[in-house]
Amino acid sequence: MDGRVQDERRPVLRVEEALEQILATVRVLESEQVPILEALGRVLAEEVTADRDIPPLPNSAMDGYAIRAADVTQAPARLRVIGEAPAGRLCPLEVGPGTAVRIMTGAPIPAGADTVVPFEHTRLDGEWVEVLRETRSGTNVREAGEDVRAGQVVLSPGHVLRPQEIGMLAALGRIEVAVVRRPRVAILATGDEVVPPWETPGPGQIRDANSYTVAAQVRQYGGIPLLLGVARDEEALIREGVRRALAEQADLIVTSGGVSIGDFDLVKQVLAAEGEMRFWSLSMKPGRPMAFGVVGGVPLVGLPGNPVSAMIATELFVRPALLKMQGFTRWPWPEVRARLADPILRKDGRRHYLRVQLRETPTGWEATLTGDQGSGILYSLVQADGLAVIPEDVDHLPAGAEVRVLLLRELRC
Ligand code: AMP
Ligand code: MG
């Protein structure tokens, strides 16, 4: 079947509809065991229970003296110091009436004691300690299992692991944990004019930027990029690239170039011949031509070749797919609201993503266009802090109008 014929029949899809189709196709991947530090930022794929009480025994919350509260019903009270309870082992001493044991934070409470008086509330006098304040039984004693109890479910599948969860896993004696595995993403650039970055381009040739932008995005969003290089505009070569991606056990294939209506735009033909193609024209700018389908059971996103379009389409469509595959259930984009410094004129019914720089003012963020918004101007993305989203039904906006800006950098402020 000729993809070009289908192209014209396809309705123009809105961004949400395209994303819905992609998300309906990609599946959450299986789990893998990884060392706990490798699990940071990933989605837990098992139930984690406590193997023992934490803390294992009642212990001191302060450096001070372990005493019997009944001995200090009135302050000051004099107690005889009979020894010391260090952290890390059981104290063989028993605190009888009228005695005290010097104790360190975290040390198990010696038998007989029920309370710890901090050093600040005592005065030492030879082998005697004077307790200067009254206290209540149980003060400064941490109970066994007050953090977590043996058998307690501490973490459930789906939990996103932050530093505190990694620490908890360590506390529970887990050195490895099951998380959803990272997607393997095969990246294939296409185009007779495109050469690898280490080659000197001949007349009319350009270096392959897209493979590297996309690989960096894949890595940023938790995937493993597999760079397949550049295929020339020949159906057999693109077909061969797709087969290589399948042989590499890619979970997702991302191509760039070759999806518009030009004579050499072959990715969609290959998709149609080798797999199931659902391709569309998207109602967005930049990035109108974009193909999506499935080959050999693997979803394939055919990005447009223009570097700006390729990057924005990856953010909008590949990022959520990667996050879903890794077990995340939400993927909101960090965004701010900002006032436009420039008016926006002559829209065309598509959703526009404008590259902007952000400036903080006393009354909020202000967004200034980075200049030429052409989809080949990669440097405008280098300059951009974010993408201002101008909805389909908005035809023009005056300067000062408020817009959503999707952030392309962390704004540390
Ligand atoms: P295409 O979608 O193949 O028609 O390509 C659209 C534009 O993007 C053309 O100007 C290409 O030269 C350019 N282009 C395609 N692939 C790449 C790439 N990998 N890196 C940089 N520019 C590219
Ligand atoms: Mg091309």
Side-chain angles (χ1 to χ4, degrees), residues 30-32 43-47 156-159 161 177-180:
E30 325 80 71
S31 65
E32 62 178 352
V43 177
L44 186 65
E46 63 170 310
E47 191 172 84
S156 300
H159 200 110
L161 301 175
V177 69
V179 291
V180 182

Side-chain angles (χ1 to χ4, degrees), residues 189-190 193-194 206-211 256-260 265 304-307:
T190 72
E193 76 283 30
V194 183
I206 53 163
R207 296 195 184 99
D208 173 17
N210 293 347
S211 291
S256 77
V259 288
S260 54
D265 294 316
N306 277 308

Side-chain angles (χ1 to χ4, degrees), residues 266-284:
L266 299 163
V267 169
K268 45 196 198 198
Q269 265 105 305
V270 171
L271 242 186
E274 292 272 300
E276 171 205 339
M277 179 178 61
R278 315 173 206 158
F279 88 83
W280 53 70
S281 204
L282 291 184
S283 176
M284 64 182 273

Side-chain angles (χ1 to χ4, degrees), residues 54-262:
I54 303 177
L57 293 170
N59 68 96
S60 178
M62 301 286 271
D63 293 336
Y65 292 93
I67 62 151
R68 305 158 72 102
D71 285 342
V72 194
T73 50
Q74 277 194 323
R78 273 172 78 77
L79 304 170
R80 197 162 56 80
V81 181
I82 59 169
E84 196 171 64
R89 52 193 140 100
L90 285 176
C91 174
L93 299 170
E94 178 159 353
V95 177
T99 67
V101 163
R102 247 175 98 83
I103 192 165
M104 300 303 131
T105 303
I109 302 291
D114 55 32
T115 302
V116 173
V117 184
F119 286 139
E120 307 86 279
H121 300 167
T122 65
R123 192 167 57 219
L124 193 60
D125 176 14
E127 62 172 316
W128 296 87
V129 65
E130 206 170 6
V131 179
L132 305 173
R133 291 195 197 173
E134 286 162 32
T135 182
R136 271 189 304 122
S137 176
T139 306
N140 295 321
V141 174
R142 302 167 176 160
E143 292 308 325
E146 74 171 17
D147 189 352
V148 296
R149 295 209 154 277
Q152 180 184 335
V153 175
V154 181
L155 299 170
S156 300
H159 200 110
V160 179
L161 301 175
R162 301 165 297 170
Q164 53 269 52
E165 281 83 17
I166 304 300
M168 180 56 79
L169 288 165
L172 298 175
R174 298 294 307 267
I175 55 170
E176 289 197 333
V177 69
V179 291
V180 182
R181 74 173 173 83
R182 299 184 183 284
R184 294 166 61 80
V185 183
I187 299 166
L188 179 70
T190 72
D192 281 343
E193 76 283 30
V194 183
V195 299
W198 52 87
E199 280 183 21
T200 304
Q205 293 186 320
I206 53 163
R207 296 195 184 99
D208 173 17
N210 293 347
S211 291
Y212 291 84
T213 312
V214 173
Q217 289 172 291
V218 165
R219 189 170 282 175
Q220 188 162 37
Y221 300 128
I224 301 169
L226 310 167
L227 288 163
L228 299 187
V230 185
R232 296 176 62 86
D233 286 319
E234 274 174 46
E235 198 168 323
L237 294 177
I238 295 172
R239 201 181 282 245
E240 198 268 325
V242 169
R243 288 193 182 138
R244 232 167 352 116
L246 296 176
E248 293 271 1
Q249 300 197 304
D251 301 298
L252 178 68
I253 303 170
V254 179
T255 63
S256 77
V259 288
S260 54
I261 313 178

